[in-house]
Each structure stands twice: as C-alpha cells, then as structure tokens.
Amino acid sequence: MNTEDLQTIWQQYDRKLEKNLHLNKELLRKINRAESRRAMYVPFIYEIFSLLVGVGFMVWIGSSLPRLSEDFLLLVCGLVAIGCFLTGTIAGLIQIRQLSGMNYADTPVIRLQKQLAAYEKTYRTIKKISYVLMPVLLVSLLPTVNLLINGTHMFDRPIYFSIVLVAGGGIGISLALWIYKKGYEEKILLANQYLKELEEFETEG
C-alpha cells in the first residue's frame, strides 16, 4: 500500500467522520426541540385543565343564581366567584394561545426563544393577578358552594367559616405555589436551557 492509497483511505475516513458529526448534530437539534416542547407541554395541560374547571364552576354557579338571589350577600358572593373564574378563563385562553402558537418543528430558535420569553412575561403577570384574586375567590366561593351543596349559610356560623377559610386558604395557596414552581417555572427554565443549547449547536453548525 503506497502513500496515495493511505491518503485516499484517510480522506474517506475524514468524510465519514464529518458526515457522522453532522448527523449527530442534527439528532441533537431534534432532541433539544422535542425536549423543549415536552417541557412546555406540562403548563399547557395545566391551563387546559384549569380552563375546564373554571368553565364548569361558572356554569354551575351561573345556573344557580336564582337560588342564590334569595339572599343578597350570597348572590354577591356567587357573582364575585363567577367574575374570578371568568378572569381566570380569559387568562388561561391567553396562555393557551401563546403556548399552542409555538411551532417547535421548524421555527428558528431565536424566534422560539422570543416566544418563550413573551410567554414567561405573560405567565408572571397572570401569576401576580392570581395572588390577588385567590383570597377573593376563596371568600366568595366557600359560602356559595356550601349553600348549593349543604343548603346552609356559612355566614350564620362565623367561627366555622373562619376555620374553613383559613384551612382552605392554606391548602389552596400551598398547592398553587407548588404548581407554579413545578408545573410552570421549572418547565420554563428547562425549555430555555434546551433552546440555549440548540442555539449553540446552530451557531457552531
């Protein structure tokens, strides 16, 4: 085997190696896009579920307004609860629209990063609003649901109402904090990390 044969073999090896590196980079790009999409699928599911729950409560309480109208205070509570759920429904639709508009298949990574940043800004704004509405919803929803299910007035039992309110508020806020952290913030961070790696691949490639 002469020098030219060795050089030819070496060039063939280089071409195969370069091809394999290119294929590996393409595979990594696809994996990062898929993982970023999978991470953001979690808040998308949360929003769909919250939307269905909110609409369900609005329909239930709305159809029960004639019964609630027998007591002005309970009627106000019912209307306030519907208002809170309506606000949550609108916020959910906004987030669902943003999340469903992110096409991970062929959208340039820079645009995906901008879309994710826009969603994160929307999410944080809605999160602040939810902290304000959460106690309002709890105070209005508890006596409304209690009347519709048990047929009793919680306002007639202030100590019981206070205990349920504090317990329900503690559980509700703790659950909301956990969902926000695990279902949203960690997933947004993870999706951003995958897109950052994808950006580096495309810069190198």
Coordinates of all heavy atoms in Angstrom, one line a residue, residues 36 39-40 43 99 116-117 119-121 123-124 180-195:
S36 N -37.7 20.5 24.6 CA -38.2 21.9 25.0 C -39.7 21.9 24.8 O -40.4 22.4 25.7 CB -37.6 22.9 24.0 OG -38.0 24.2 24.4
A39 N -41.3 19.9 27.7 CA -41.3 20.7 28.9 C -42.5 21.6 29.0 O -43.1 21.8 30.0 CB -40.0 21.4 29.1
M40 N -42.8 22.3 27.9 CA -43.8 23.3 27.9 C -45.2 22.7 27.7 O -46.2 23.3 27.8 CB -43.6 24.3 26.8 CG -42.3 25.2 27.0 SD -42.3 25.9 28.6 CE -43.7 27.0 28.6
P43 N -47.2 22.9 31.4 CA -48.1 24.1 31.7 C -49.3 24.2 30.7 O -50.4 24.7 31.1 CB -47.2 25.3 31.5 CG -46.0 24.8 30.8 CD -45.9 23.4 31.1
L99 N -49.0 29.3 24.0 CA -48.3 28.0 24.0 C -48.5 27.2 22.7 O -47.6 26.6 22.2 CB -48.7 27.2 25.2 CG -48.2 27.7 26.6 CD1 -48.9 27.0 27.7 CD2 -46.7 27.6 26.7
L116 N -41.0 32.2 23.9 CA -41.0 31.7 25.2 C -40.8 32.8 26.2 O -41.4 32.8 27.3 CB -39.8 30.6 25.4 CG -39.8 29.9 26.7 CD1 -41.1 29.1 27.0 CD2 -38.6 28.9 26.7
A117 N -40.0 33.8 25.9 CA -39.8 34.9 26.8 C -41.1 35.7 26.9 O -41.4 36.2 28.0 CB -38.7 35.8 26.3
Y119 N -44.1 34.5 26.6 CA -45.0 33.7 27.4 C -44.6 33.8 28.9 O -45.5 33.9 29.7 CB -45.0 32.2 27.0 CG -45.7 31.3 28.0 CD1 -47.1 31.3 28.1 CD2 -45.0 30.6 28.9 CE1 -47.7 30.6 29.0 CE2 -45.6 29.8 29.9 CZ -47.0 29.9 29.9 OH -47.7 29.1 30.9
E120 N -43.3 33.7 29.2 CA -42.9 33.8 30.6 C -43.4 35.2 31.2 O -43.8 35.2 32.3 CB -41.4 33.7 30.7 CG -40.9 33.7 32.1 CD -39.4 33.4 32.2 OE1 -38.7 33.3 31.2 OE2 -38.9 33.3 33.4
K121 N -43.3 36.2 30.4 CA -43.7 37.6 30.9 C -45.2 37.5 31.2 O -45.7 38.1 32.2 CB -43.4 38.6 29.8 CG -43.7 40.0 30.3 CD -43.3 41.0 29.2 CE -43.7 42.5 29.6 NZ -43.3 43.5 28.6
Y123 N -47.1 34.9 31.8 CA -47.3 34.0 33.0 C -47.0 34.7 34.3 O -47.8 34.6 35.2 CB -46.4 32.8 32.9 CG -46.0 32.1 34.2 CD1 -47.0 31.4 34.9 CD2 -44.8 32.3 34.8 CE1 -46.7 30.8 36.1 CE2 -44.5 31.7 36.0 CZ -45.5 31.0 36.7 OH -45.2 30.5 37.9
R124 N -45.9 35.5 34.4 CA -45.6 36.1 35.6 C -46.6 37.2 35.9 O -46.9 37.5 37.1 CB -44.2 36.7 35.6 CG -43.1 35.6 35.5 CD -41.7 36.1 35.8 NE -40.8 35.0 35.7 CZ -40.6 34.0 36.6 NH1 -41.3 34.1 37.8 NH2 -39.7 33.1 36.5
Y180 N -47.1 26.3 40.6 CA -46.4 27.4 39.9 C -44.9 27.0 39.7 O -44.3 27.2 38.7 CB -46.5 28.7 40.6 CG -47.8 29.4 40.4 CD1 -48.5 30.1 41.4 CD2 -48.5 29.4 39.2 CE1 -49.7 30.7 41.3 CE2 -49.7 30.0 39.0 CZ -50.3 30.7 40.0 OH -51.5 31.3 39.8
K181 N -44.3 26.4 40.8 CA -42.9 26.1 40.8 C -42.6 24.9 39.9 O -41.8 25.0 39.0 CB -42.4 25.8 42.2 CG -40.9 25.5 42.3 CD -40.5 25.3 43.7 CE -39.0 24.9 43.7 NZ -38.5 24.6 45.1
K182 N -43.4 23.8 40.1 CA -43.1 22.5 39.4 C -43.7 22.5 38.0 O -43.1 22.0 37.1 CB -43.6 21.4 40.2 CG -43.0 21.2 41.6 CD -41.5 20.8 41.5 CE -40.9 20.5 42.8 NZ -39.5 20.2 42.7
G183 N -44.9 23.1 37.9 CA -45.6 22.9 36.6 C -45.3 24.1 35.6 O -45.5 23.9 34.4
Y184 N -44.7 25.2 36.1 CA -44.5 26.3 35.2 C -43.0 26.7 35.2 O -42.3 26.6 34.2 CB -45.4 27.5 35.6 CG -46.9 27.3 35.3 CD1 -47.7 26.6 36.2 CD2 -47.4 27.8 34.1 CE1 -49.0 26.4 35.9 CE2 -48.7 27.6 33.8 CZ -49.5 26.9 34.7 OH -50.9 26.7 34.4
E185 N -42.6 27.2 36.4 CA -41.2 27.9 36.4 C -40.1 26.9 36.1 O -39.2 27.2 35.3 CB -41.0 28.6 37.8 CG -42.0 29.8 37.9 CD -42.1 30.2 39.4 OE1 -41.3 29.8 40.2 OE2 -43.0 31.0 39.7
E186 N -40.2 25.7 36.7 CA -39.1 24.7 36.4 C -39.2 24.3 34.9 O -38.1 24.1 34.3 CB -39.2 23.5 37.3 CG -38.8 23.8 38.7 CD -38.8 22.6 39.6 OE1 -39.1 21.5 39.1 OE2 -38.5 22.7 40.8
K187 N -40.4 24.2 34.3 CA -40.5 23.8 33.0 C -40.1 24.9 32.0 O -39.5 24.6 30.9 CB -42.0 23.4 32.7 CG -42.5 22.3 33.5 CD -41.6 21.0 33.4 CE -42.1 19.9 34.3 NZ -41.3 18.7 34.3
I188 N -40.4 26.1 32.3 CA -39.9 27.3 31.5 C -38.4 27.3 31.5 O -37.7 27.5 30.5 CB -40.5 28.6 32.0 CG1 -42.0 28.6 31.8 CG2 -39.8 29.8 31.3 CD1 -42.7 29.8 32.4
L189 N -37.8 27.1 32.7 CA -36.3 27.1 32.8 C -35.7 26.0 32.0 O -34.7 26.2 31.3 CB -35.9 27.0 34.3 CG -34.4 26.9 34.6 CD1 -33.7 28.2 34.1 CD2 -34.2 26.7 36.1
L190 N -36.3 24.8 32.1 CA -35.8 23.7 31.3 C -35.9 23.9 29.8 O -35.0 23.6 29.1 CB -36.6 22.4 31.7 CG -36.1 21.1 31.2 CD1 -34.7 20.8 31.6 CD2 -37.1 19.9 31.6
A191 N -37.1 24.4 29.4 CA -37.3 24.7 28.0 C -36.2 25.7 27.5 O -35.7 25.6 26.4 CB -38.7 25.2 27.7
N192 N -36.0 26.7 28.3 CA -35.0 27.7 27.9 C -33.6 27.1 27.8 O -32.8 27.5 26.9 CB -35.0 28.8 29.0 CG -35.9 30.0 28.6 OD1 -36.0 30.4 27.4 ND2 -36.6 30.5 29.6
Q193 N -33.3 26.2 28.7 CA -31.9 25.5 28.6 C -31.8 24.7 27.3 O -30.7 24.8 26.7 CB -31.8 24.6 29.8 CG -31.6 25.4 31.2 CD -31.6 24.5 32.4 OE1 -31.9 23.3 32.3 NE2 -31.1 25.0 33.5
Y194 N -32.8 24.0 26.9 CA -32.7 23.2 25.7 C -32.6 24.2 24.5 O -31.9 23.9 23.6 CB -34.0 22.3 25.6 CG -33.9 21.1 26.4 CD1 -34.9 20.9 27.4 CD2 -32.9 20.2 26.2 CE1 -34.9 19.7 28.2 CE2 -32.9 19.0 27.0 CZ -33.8 18.8 28.0 OH -33.8 17.6 28.7
L195 N -33.3 25.3 24.5 CA -33.2 26.2 23.4 C -31.9 26.9 23.4 O -31.4 27.2 22.3 CB -34.4 27.2 23.5 CG -35.8 26.7 23.2 CD1 -36.8 27.9 23.4 CD2 -35.9 26.1 21.9

